[in-house]
Amino acid sequence: MILHLYFARRFLRSVLIVGFAFTVLMQMFDMVEQLRKFGGEEIPFAEIFELSLLNLPAGIYQILPLIVILGTLAMYLGLARSSELVVTRAAGRSAVMSLIAPVSAAFLLGVFAVAVLNPIVAGTQKRYELLENSYKSGEQSVLSISDEGLWLRQGNSEGQTVIRAAESNLDGTLLRGVTFISFDTDGTPLERVEAQEAGLSAGRWALQNAKVWSLATTDNPERDARSYDTLDLASNLTRQQIRDSFGTPSAIPIWDLPRFITNLKNAGFSPRQHEVWFQMELASPLFLVSMVLIGAAFTMRHTRFGRTGIMVLGAILMGFGLFFIRNFAQVLGESGQIPIGVAAWTPPIAGICLALGLILHLEDG
């Protein structure tokens, strides 16, 4: 147990050192990128720095598997140079047994990242997207999904209009069971419109079977209500604005994703992108385990065998290759080319099996 704790401590220390180095580098690069995007506008430096800090956790979280494999390489190279692995084998511990502690630590790190870091990253990413959209166009998200249906907001200098729909098509441009409520600049309700269906095209909502209640010019809105077979309402919304308002799946905490996916289905939207992200987050602890095994397979040899640089390069290339395959599988899963379970779980399981086979071949074969 003491030996396992020692290896786990060495592994976590190496991962923290590599993670700190990447954090510093990514912060500097992202700061330069934010200055390039917003430096020419009337945005204070403090707010640009805030943007870079908010974007940093998402970047670190995304490359966590690469940090783990580099930390594994650093740990095992240090153990090989100090001959600690030789002593471990001489004491009767096989190479596979010495992997128990790093693998367990990587798995627990993955569980901690999904359960704790994921909601933190989601919060900072959502805040970053809101601020970025606000600085770019002066507008924030126009769409919201809830248990009551789909909510949209449109407006201009003369007032705002809140839109609620029971159902929608995949891009939010065709609404069913829709209600429009208009407000002036002071927040006073002006008009309510209900329609069986509303379609967005060419800067207007085309309503079918609509009924209009005037809330500001009459004492009895129901008495003075008007019905129309077809009715057009002006809109400043576009298809791209509605689609972009969903944000990225990473901006939603993993604890809220199942409910959000259900709401998307009920609203008529396709939740496939969010379902793929959810399954890949659940599989991420196994993916970190595969990275540890890949790093160990190439660097558990003693340095006197030579070719250390080639082995390290092979581990890095294999790790980056598996990381690329995982991202490629995610794209295929989101586009519907392969099942969601295959896209999320096949890369980490294949990486674990491949690395274990290589370890057993090199150590005992």
Side-chain angles (χ1 to χ4, degrees), residues 180-202:
F180 294 77
I181 301 180
S182 302
F183 300 86
D184 63 13
T185 55
D186 297 327
T188 303
L190 298 178
E191 189 177 66
R192 174 181 175 182
V193 181
E194 290 190 1
Q196 180 180 352
E197 187 175 279
L200 178 65
S201 64

Side-chain angles (χ1 to χ4, degrees), residues 114 118 249-250 252-259 261 271-284 326 330 334 340 344-345:
V114 173
N118 178 279
S250 60
I252 304 171
I254 191 170
W255 303 107
D256 298 335
L257 261 179
R259 181 180 179 183
I261 290 172
R272 189 174 186 89
Q273 182 181 8
H274 296 78
E275 289 177 333
V276 171
W277 174 259
F278 180 65
Q279 291 296 325
M280 296 195 73
E281 286 296 286
L282 295 181
S284 60
R326 180 175 182 248
Q330 180 180 358
E334 292 176 350
I340 294 175
W345 295 92

